[in-house]
Amino acid sequence: MSTDNQRPLILVSNDDGYKAKGINCLIDVLAEFGDVVVMAPHTGRSGKGCAITSEQPIMYSCVSSTQGVKIYSCTGTPADCVKLAFHALLTRKPDLVVGGINHGDNSAVNAHYSGTMGVVFEGCMKGIPSVAFSLCDHDPDADFTPTLPIIRRIVGEVLKRGLPKGCCLNVNFPEKAPYKGVSVCHQANGVWTGEFEAHDHPRGGKWYWLTGEFVTQDKDSAADRVALANGYVAITPTRIDLTDYDLLREMKNWDL
């Protein structure tokens, strides 16, 4: 946490691009808590997860600078944005890294694909309390207003309490308000089905368009996807350590 005479420093990024409505609503809220530095993709980078750019250079430029809020556009992925901000922009360690507000659902296994989660995974790997916010509405002009009071509460709590090392928060809002409440959840089980739509290519063969339907295989009301379907805001504490410790202990008995 920043010293008493220094406002908290908050680093923000997303995967919808710096012009998206969601991130700009988020910036307005976060500016109430501290100084905000935004490094976000210059265009949409949805589905990039934790991808980084290694085969070509990336660039950034300042698009806006006002008292307490500086916004930069970057040609890289969401994870690139966080890495480059730490390397080239930040003059001190941020108190918080925030991703979003994403246009679309990042619950269940979608967290693995999400560029919004890529932002907070990167912040978490750098030892910074990190939170992702997503609204289950892909509309570019989605109404984020109902999310803002809850975002304020979560940000205030995380700035006050911090988060355990290696843990970040994945927060998803139902598409429609009013919300029934807030539920602290585990990640739901589920799978994507019919993931590609095939079309005949005019020069022969097929081309494929990513589509599909997500099928929830979890009935537990404490699963994030189920909570969302029931009208609750879902907060999922998420670890970056992917080790299966139960299997690790079992494998010590294997004949290896």
Side-chain angles (χ1 to χ4, degrees):
M1 188 68 175
S2 298
T3 57
D4 291 339
N5 61 353
Q6 195 173 47
R7 278 165 58 83
L9 178 61
I10 304 172
L11 176 63
V12 185
S13 191
N14 72 347
D15 68 3
D16 294 311
Y18 75 94
K19 294 181 180 179
K21 183 177 180 180
I23 195 172
N24 284 283
C25 290
L26 182 62
I27 291 166
D28 290 342
V29 170
L30 296 178
E32 300 171 12
F33 291 88
D35 294 330
V36 177
V37 174
V38 180
M39 176 77 96
H42 73 296
T43 189
R45 290 285 188 269
S46 293
K48 293 297 182 181
C50 292
I52 54 175
T53 303
S54 61
E55 300 299 322
Q56 60 190 42
I58 59 175
M59 300 176 62
Y60 76 93
S61 60
C62 182
V63 296
S64 175
S65 181
T66 58
Q67 183 65 36
V69 178
K70 292 180 170 58
I71 301 176
Y72 298 85
S73 167
C74 176
T75 60
T77 67
D80 287 333
C81 289
V82 177
K83 286 179 176 292
L84 190 56
F86 271 83
H87 178 80
L89 284 182
L90 301 178
T91 58
R92 59 186 171 96
K93 184 177 179 180
D95 298 278
L96 183 66
V97 172
V98 184
I101 306 167
N102 188 63
H103 294 246
D105 174 13
N106 281 320
S107 65
V109 298
N110 298 310
H112 292 282
Y113 303 115
S114 164
T116 305
M117 287 301 293
V119 169
V120 301
F121 286 145
E122 189 63 39
C124 192
M125 284 188 279
K126 294 185 180 304
I128 310 299
S130 301
V131 185
F133 295 105
S134 303
L135 173 65
C136 299
D137 187 344
H138 290 276
D139 187 343
D141 194 35
D143 182 11
F144 293 93
T145 306
T147 73
L148 304 184
I150 297 171
I151 289 174
R152 286 187 180 93
R153 296 208 302 269
I154 294 171
V155 168
E157 286 293 297
V158 173
L159 284 172
K160 179 173 67 176
R161 300 174 184 273
L163 289 172
K165 182 179 179 181
C167 181
C168 53
L169 299 183
N170 180 14
V171 183
N172 286 272
F173 294 88
E175 181 178 0
K176 302 297 183 183
Y179 310 130
K180 291 183 180 178
V182 176
S183 179
V184 179
C185 300
H186 65 80
Q187 181 177 295
N189 294 316
V191 295
W192 281 93
T193 61
E195 294 187 76
F196 290 94
E197 185 179 273
H199 297 268
D200 292 326
H201 195 283
R203 296 184 180 179
K206 299 280 188 182
W207 61 271
Y208 296 86
W209 188 269
L210 184 64
T211 177
E213 177 184 1
F214 190 81
V215 179
T216 304
Q217 299 173 318
D218 212 317
K219 304 301 182 183
D220 184 356
S221 61
D224 56 9
R225 190 87 177 188
V226 179
L228 288 166
N230 290 333
Y232 289 86
V233 178
I235 305 178
T236 308
T238 304
R239 297 194 62 86
I240 55 173
D241 182 352
L242 301 180
T243 307
D244 185 327
Y245 288 96
D246 291 335
L247 182 56
L248 185 152
R249 286 187 288 271
E250 179 184 328
M251 288 180 68
K252 292 184 184 297
N253 298 318
W254 287 19
D255 187 13
L256 299 174

